[in-house]
Amino acid sequence: MTPILQNLVEMTGHRDHLRLEVSVLSTLQKLTSVIEVRALELFTDSGQAHVRPRTWVEDGQLTSTDSEAATDPRRESLDHYPALRECIETHGDSALASPRKGRHVLWLPVWMHEKVHTCLEITQSRPFSAHKLDVLKGVFAVYQNYQSLLDYSERDALTGLFNRKTFDEQFSRHTMQGLPSRAGAVVETLAAEESASSTEPIQQWLAVVDIDHFKQVNDRFGHLYGDEVLILVANILRSSFRSHDRIFRFGGEEFVVLLRSTTLSTAHKVFNRFRTAVQEYPFPQVGQVTVSLGFVSTTKGAPVEILGQADQALYYAKEHGRNQVCYYDELVAGGELASKVVGNDDVELF
């Protein structure tokens, strides 16, 4: 088996987007004349298109970050990449440029749902031959097709949010954000910036969200309108949280949010801002819809225990008026809830 086929076999053995991205860059980096490979993230901030490296080579090793793109100091305006910008504007499949002698760059945008959020960038020391372009585009096509398959398997079909089966791995990555690592360097910088103006510690948070009286929506207006409510709530969730936070639909009208690297007071504000956004949204035919939310720090405990605590806070909110945000530790400190360790054999969540 040729080296490139061996790399393709390894690449398609991954079941995670980030590992797949690292694997395809590793494959491309081994090709002759290639001197640099990067995965770029494209995003919009304040109406302006930007680019930032998400996976790159540092000290001979591939390094990744999933920190918030909008505050990444590495970000650049897309205008600094005119060939790539034109490629995206014309819905092209590749772009070439030679910014200076001895550097020839190929960009391969990843199109998904008529949008580009990721682009592979390959830089080599000599111009790209027709044969080399065919090889690179062939590897890229395998990567893009496999990305689509992974995306389909990880997403809820109705809302497009992450599904339940992706939660454990995302939770593990989420709780590692505070640990020192090269991939987490940007996250630590952002955490330090927030803590500089606050005495509160930076933590990671998990929230469980439930749509109030959702059964009544289905019973009164039918499941078609019920599905529309779920889709619109999912859209409000997306717009209420940052790109590096994670949102899941666990089933029915229940959602889970992993909120990264912020203080307790900020978490309260963010979750209440989302609750208010839902309350004020004019849902077609249905009118007003509200949500209840319970949240907890992810500092200690297994996923099932932390989910159980957030769930307890959620159901306290629902049993005491709904349309509110409750913090588990505050309820325990106030004597409203008894602190309880939840084990795998104690309860089946959702």
Side-chain angles (χ1 to χ4, degrees), residues 254-270:
E254 293 172 313
F255 303 85
V256 169
V257 178
L258 292 175
L259 181 66
R260 296 182 173 180
S261 304
T262 192
T263 62
L264 173 59
S265 59
T266 300
H268 262 296
K269 291 176 185 177
V270 170

Side-chain angles (χ1 to χ4, degrees), residues 261-312:
S261 304
T262 192
T263 62
L264 173 59
S265 59
T266 300
H268 262 296
K269 291 176 185 177
V270 170
F271 290 137
N272 270 297
R273 183 181 63 198
F274 159 68
R275 180 194 59 78
T276 302
V278 174
Q279 176 184 300
E280 295 177 350
Y281 190 89
F283 289 82
Q285 182 69 23
V286 176
Q288 188 186 57
V289 171
T290 62
V291 295
S292 298
L293 185 150
F295 76 101
V296 67
S297 169
T298 65
T299 306
K300 296 179 181 178
V304 67
E305 181 180 352
I306 293 167
L307 275 168
Q309 292 171 349
D311 209 40
Q312 284 181 270

Side-chain angles (χ1 to χ4, degrees), residues 96-115:
L96 285 166
S98 299
R100 63 179 185 269
K101 185 178 180 180
R103 290 187 73 88
H104 304 270
V105 186
L106 169 67
W107 291 281
L108 297 167
V110 180
W111 288 97
M112 296 189 73
H113 312 298
E114 302 300 313
K115 293 183 179 179

Side-chain angles (χ1 to χ4, degrees), residues 189-207:
T189 300
L190 296 175
E193 289 173 358
E194 185 168 357
S195 62
S197 59
S198 171
T199 58
E200 293 184 75
I202 299 294
Q203 298 185 66
Q204 324 300 324
W205 308 93
L206 181 147

Side-chain angles (χ1 to χ4, degrees), residues 173-231:
R173 189 180 300 163
H174 169 89
T175 54
M176 290 292 287
Q177 288 299 303
L179 299 178
S181 69
R182 287 165 55 187
V186 177
V187 175
E188 290 173 4
T189 300
L190 296 175
E193 289 173 358
E194 185 168 357
S195 62
S197 59
S198 171
T199 58
E200 293 184 75
I202 299 294
Q203 298 185 66
Q204 324 300 324
W205 308 93
L206 181 147
V208 180
V209 179
D210 188 90
I211 301 174
D212 297 327
H213 301 299
F214 185 70
K215 185 177 183 300
Q216 294 181 15
V217 173
N218 279 332
D219 291 346
R220 183 177 178 185
F221 300 101
H223 288 278
L224 188 62
Y225 280 102
D227 286 351
E228 184 173 15
V229 168
L230 291 170
I231 292 168

